[in-house]
């Protein structure tokens, strides 16, 4: 009996050991699954926390951009909701063009001048007048080009959105001033006039190509209408000074065509939008041509009156005044 009890105890112990051995893998698997679940929860929590931080940073950046461009958005909304400024600009540009076209009308024909080009029909007198006018207008034109470059540099500083375009335009003024200085030293002023006309048109083509490329890479944001008004005023003065300097009419016509085409394809620069901006720039260009036409006609007639009082019409006339050309 004692041996039977010992055997039963030994069998129970073996059964207990076997049961423990059989249940241990399940317990290990359960613990492993619990660890994996905890790791997944931790990873998800970290991912959500990172996404929350990214969303918070994005919201803060959006709020900063809204605060920075709030005034510009208000200006654009006002321009869209109130088209009165645009209509007024279109009407003003139309009036400028009409006034420029009407400026040519009262000019009566003169037998000594070509009607549209104002060329003196006497070749000797034409060569004398243009040579003296080109030489005498050296100082005013160089001063104007220096002011041109300084003004566009100031616009580039004041309007960072057009900084590259403003500096390119200012550089064009410096190039033209250097070209005018080089041609002013030439003995043959007729050849100097032709060379400066070529330099003028080459600079205009390169400048417009660079300007349009810069605006394509960095589209400008609509600004205050005063920017377009300043550019239009400078266009008007350029046309006037080219007439004042006796630049060949072929070069002036090519320059006007280049600027008209460039103005037509310019992107929107201010809240005026299109077509007000191209009309305003084109009208200013035409107004400068009209005013320059009247000024040049007066200068040529005054020159002919002085030449008529001499025995030899082609004789050397007194040097023209550098600012009034009289």
């Amino acid at each position: 009996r004692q041996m039977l009890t010992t055997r039963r105890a030994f069998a129970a112990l073996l059964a207990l050991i076997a049961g423990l051995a059989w249940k241990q893998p399940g317990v290990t698997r359960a613990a492993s699954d619990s660890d994996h679940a905890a790791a997944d929860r931790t990873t998800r929590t970290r991912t959500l926390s990172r996404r929350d931080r990214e969303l918070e940073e994005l919201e803060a950046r959006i709020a900063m951009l809204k605060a920075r461009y709030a005034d510009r958005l208000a200006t654009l909304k006002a321009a869209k909701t109130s088209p009165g400024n645009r209509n007024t600009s279109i009407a003003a540009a139309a009036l400028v063009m009409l006034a420029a076209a009407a400026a040519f009308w009262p000019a009566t024909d003169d037998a000594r001048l070509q009607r549209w080009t104002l060329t003196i029909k006497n070749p000797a007198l034409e060569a004398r007048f243009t040579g003296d006018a080109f030489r005498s207008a050296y100082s005013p034109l160089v001063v104007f080009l220096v002011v041109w470059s300084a003004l566009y540099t100031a616009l580039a500083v004041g309007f960072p959105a057009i900084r590259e375009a403003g500096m390119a335009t200012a550089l064009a003024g410096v190039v033209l001033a250097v070209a005018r200085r080089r041609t002013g030293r030439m003995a043959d002023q007729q050849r100097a006039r032709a060379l400066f006309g070529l330099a003028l048109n080459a600079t205009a083509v390169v400048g417009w190509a660079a300007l349009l490329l810069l605006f394509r890479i960095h589209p400008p944001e609509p600004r205050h209408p005063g920017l377009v008004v300043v550019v239009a005023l400078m266009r008007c003065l350029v046309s006037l000074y080219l007439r004042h300097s006796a630049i060949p009419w072929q070069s002036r016509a090519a320059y006007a065509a280049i600027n008209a085409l460039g103005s037509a394809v310019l992107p929107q620069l201010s809240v005026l939008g299109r077509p007000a901006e191209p009309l305003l720039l084109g009208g200013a260009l035409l107004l400068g041509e009209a005013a320059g036409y009247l000024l040049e006609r007066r200068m040529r007639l005054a020159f002919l009156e002085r030449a008529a009082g001499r025995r030899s019409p082609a004789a050397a006339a007194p040097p023209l005044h550098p600012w009034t050309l009289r």
Side-chain angles (χ1 to χ4, degrees):
R1 181 182 298 177
Q2 184 177 2
M3 185 172 292
L4 181 60
T5 302
T6 303
R7 288 178 179 177
R8 289 178 179 176
F10 184 71
L13 180 60
L14 289 176
L16 179 61
I17 293 173
L20 293 175
W22 181 78
K23 290 183 179 180
Q24 185 65 30
V27 173
T28 304
R29 284 196 300 270
S32 177
D33 292 341
S34 178
D35 293 339
H36 284 303
D40 291 340
R41 286 194 298 271
T42 303
T43 303
R44 291 177 183 177
T45 302
R46 291 177 179 176
T47 303
L48 290 175
S49 300
R50 185 173 62 253
R51 290 179 179 177
D52 290 339
R53 287 194 300 270
E54 291 176 355
L55 288 175
E56 290 177 357
E57 293 175 357
L58 183 59
E59 289 177 355
R61 186 175 181 182
I62 291 174
M64 181 182 65
L65 292 175
K66 284 183 177 180
R68 179 182 299 177
Y69 296 102
D71 55 342
R72 300 181 186 176
L73 290 175
T75 303
L76 291 177
K77 289 180 180 179
K80 291 180 179 179
T81 56
S82 58
N85 291 335
R86 182 176 301 178
N87 296 334
T88 303
S89 301
I90 294 176
L95 288 176
V96 167
M97 288 186 171
L98 183 61
F104 292 95
W105 185 258
T108 57
D109 289 332
D110 191 288
R112 299 168 294 180
L113 300 176
Q114 298 288 344
R115 179 175 177 81
W116 299 110
T117 63
L118 294 179
T119 303
I120 300 176
K121 294 181 180 180
N122 188 325
L125 289 177
E126 172 67 17
R128 181 64 189 175
F129 171 78
T130 53
D132 288 346
F134 184 73
R135 185 184 299 107
S136 300
Y138 165 77
S139 298
L141 184 59
V142 170
V143 170
F144 171 73
L145 291 174
V146 171
V147 174
W148 163 287
S149 300
L151 180 60
Y152 275 98
T153 303
L155 288 177
V157 174
F159 297 92
I162 59 167
R163 179 177 293 123
E164 294 83 1
M167 295 306 297
T169 309
L171 180 61
V174 174
V175 171
L176 288 177
V178 173
R180 183 63 185 89
R181 179 176 176 81
R182 295 293 298 271
T183 55
R185 297 178 177 180
M186 297 177 61
D188 187 357
Q189 288 297 286
Q190 297 301 321
R191 184 168 181 269
R193 290 173 60 232
L195 289 178
F196 183 75
L198 291 176
L200 176 71
N201 291 321
T203 304
V205 171
V206 174
W208 273 110
L211 193 66
L212 295 175
L213 180 62
L214 287 173
F215 282 153
R216 184 175 181 85
I217 297 175
H218 304 289
E221 298 178 2
R223 294 289 180 173
H224 192 274
L227 175 64
V228 180
V229 173
V230 171
V231 175
L233 178 62
M234 297 304 293
R235 293 282 177 81
C236 179
L237 292 177
V238 167
S239 300
L240 185 63
Y241 269 89
L242 292 181
R243 286 273 191 177
H244 183 268
S245 301
I247 304 300
W249 69 268
Q250 299 91 338
S251 300
R252 287 189 287 101
Y255 180 79
I258 293 169
N259 280 274
L261 291 176
S263 301
V265 298
L266 268 180
Q268 182 178 352
L269 297 178
S270 70
V271 296
L272 296 177
R274 303 171 65 88
E277 291 177 359
L279 286 176
L280 188 60
L281 295 175
L285 190 66
L286 185 57
L287 182 62
E289 279 292 325
Y293 177 89
L294 297 178
L295 175 64
E296 184 181 2
R297 186 175 184 276
R298 180 181 177 183
M299 293 188 308
R300 287 177 178 272
L301 290 177
F303 175 82
L304 290 175
E305 292 297 331
R306 292 197 305 271
R310 297 175 174 273
R311 294 181 180 179
S312 176
L320 299 177
H321 192 275
W323 295 97
T324 63
L325 295 184
R326 302 181 68 180

